[in-house]
Amino acid sequence: MSRLIGAAAMSFVTTVLTPNASAQDADVAAIETIVESVGTLADRGNFMDLEALYAPEVRVDYSSLSGQTAELKSPRGLMTEWAATLPGFDRTRHELSAVEAKVRGKQGSATADVVASHWLGEQFWQVEGRYAYEFENDDGNWLITSMTFVLEEETGSREIFGPAMEAAAANPPAIIVRQQTRDAVRTFLSGLEEKDMEKVNGVWAEDAVQHMPFSPEGFPKRVSGREGLMAHYAGWPENARNADFTSHLVFYDTLDPEVVFAEWRGNADIVPTGRTYRQTYGGLFHVEDGKIALFREYYDPAAFAYAFGLDGDRGSFRGEE
């Protein structure tokens, strides 16, 4: 009987524990794959996919190389730093070995030896050392929360970085261009919030165009040129208060890093009518060299007509009774 019980118990243990062991092996493999992918994606300049490997806040420690203390960074901030330099090299190669990962529930860690080589013309710089990573599991996805590099050996001159950064700035990668595109849109909308017309006017390209296909009768559906757009928005500071356009701003990237579709909610008190303008917007923006060249604006004309007194109930945007 005891043998039968023991056999049954062993069968139970095998049935219960084997799936858990397999799951842990899969998590270890996932973490090791991420560690190997960091260098590969960086060498290929694929910063968009690389950014997705990091948690919303990551501790970055390169103190053994730079002498600077560890910092907490956003994934976008970290990618911006790397994208401002790495694409300027003729070639980089991060060669990893001895990758080892461990999993403890929702937490993970990994170490790896690395040889990082950088070429630019006849210049060459190489570092050897060891990486240590920390991970957390977010709904089944392992994300990097901490990354530490320990320098062991260095070859060549760090003077290579100056020319590399110049080369990267002359031909910025897509992630940098996308950031410039988003920044131009944020500048425009925050300028309206702050009633800072210098910010608003400064964001337009000389030949900028704004399309407003749903503008109600009597309001333009197209405004062309920087001067025309400056005039179009000139009355905003006197006619609006308590504006909010960026609290719910969402961007949708396109294949072209200079083109982005944005959604946002608008709230503003309209002074001449005493009404609150609540709106949901969609906007297609084409940004060239940090300036908005095209803004195609989509909104509900009924909400516009109510807020600005075009419904015949109370006054009008011009303060008429």
Side-chain angles (χ1 to χ4, degrees):
M1 177 66 72
S2 62
R3 290 182 180 179
L4 290 175
I5 295 175
M10 182 60 69
S11 176
F12 174 79
V13 169
T14 301
T15 301
V16 173
L17 294 186
T18 299
N20 289 339
S22 297
Q24 187 173 39
D25 290 343
D27 285 334
V28 167
I31 289 175
E32 290 178 346
T33 299
I34 291 172
V35 171
E36 294 164 346
S37 298
V38 170
T40 301
L41 293 173
D43 290 336
R44 298 184 64 178
N46 190 344
F47 299 104
M48 299 298 290
D49 287 342
L50 183 54
E51 180 181 344
L53 301 182
Y54 290 87
E57 187 175 71
V58 57
R59 182 180 183 273
V60 180
D61 187 350
Y62 278 88
S63 56
S64 69
L65 179 65
S66 66
Q68 299 178 349
T69 58
E71 295 181 280
L72 292 176
K73 297 180 180 292
S74 68
R76 177 53 58 93
L78 182 60
M79 293 306 105
T80 299
E81 290 183 10
W82 286 358
T85 304
L86 291 179
F89 293 105
D90 294 336
R91 179 69 59 192
T92 66
R93 174 163 169 73
H94 291 75
E95 184 177 358
L96 270 66
S97 61
V99 181
E100 296 183 1
K102 296 180 181 179
V103 173
R104 304 175 302 280
K106 294 291 186 179
Q107 305 299 313
S109 62
T111 57
D113 294 333
V114 62
V115 178
S117 304
H118 307 71
W119 293 267
L120 181 56
E122 297 183 356
Q123 294 179 283
F124 176 74
W125 181 67
Q126 183 183 82
V127 290
E128 298 182 37
R130 189 165 181 80
Y131 271 113
Y133 291 90
E134 297 292 332
F135 291 81
E136 66 178 11
N137 192 298
D138 181 16
D139 195 23
N141 296 316
W142 288 100
L143 299 174
I144 300 169
T145 58
S146 177
M147 180 174 61
T148 301
F149 174 73
V150 178
L151 176 66
E152 296 177 352
E153 189 173 340
E154 182 175 8
T155 304
S157 173
R158 298 187 188 186
E159 292 181 358
I160 193 174
F161 278 90
M165 294 178 69
E166 292 177 2
N171 187 25
I175 191 171
I176 297 295
V177 177
R178 283 195 171 94
Q179 183 169 327
Q180 293 172 345
T181 299
R182 292 183 176 196
D183 286 346
V185 177
R186 286 195 189 93
T187 297
F188 167 60
L189 295 176
S190 64
L192 291 176
E193 286 179 340
E194 300 160 10
K195 298 197 284 190
D196 184 343
M197 301 316 293
E198 184 175 348
K199 286 178 64 173
V200 175
N201 296 336
V203 82
W204 301 112
E206 286 297 329
D207 57 351
V209 173
Q210 180 173 347
H211 289 163
M212 296 159 284
F214 296 122
S215 286
E217 184 178 353
F219 282 76
K221 295 183 180 295
R222 176 188 176 99
V223 179
S224 300
R226 183 170 181 268
E227 295 297 326
L229 286 160
M230 289 172 61
H232 179 70
Y233 287 97
W236 176 256
E238 291 74 31
N239 291 300
R241 293 176 182 168
N242 305 318
D244 179 9
F245 296 115
T246 59
S247 293
H248 299 91
L249 176 61
V250 179
F251 291 105
Y252 301 92
D253 294 323
T254 70
L255 292 177
D256 185 344
E258 292 186 327
V259 177
V260 68
F261 190 86
E263 290 181 344
W264 68 97
R265 299 175 191 171
N267 284 284
D269 296 330
I270 305 305
V271 175
T273 63
R275 296 178 176 181
T276 299
Y277 183 28
R278 297 182 177 90
Q279 184 65 267
T280 299
Y281 297 91
L284 181 69
F285 293 86
H286 182 192
V287 178
E288 299 176 349
D289 298 324
K291 302 292 185 180
I292 298 175
L294 171 66
F295 171 28
R296 186 167 287 124
E297 182 184 22
Y298 302 96
Y299 60 87
D300 179 2
F304 181 95
Y306 168 78
F308 289 95
L310 307 180
D311 55 1
D313 290 341
R314 289 180 55 193
S316 75
F317 175 62
R318 296 178 179 80
E320 299 169 356
E321 296 295 336

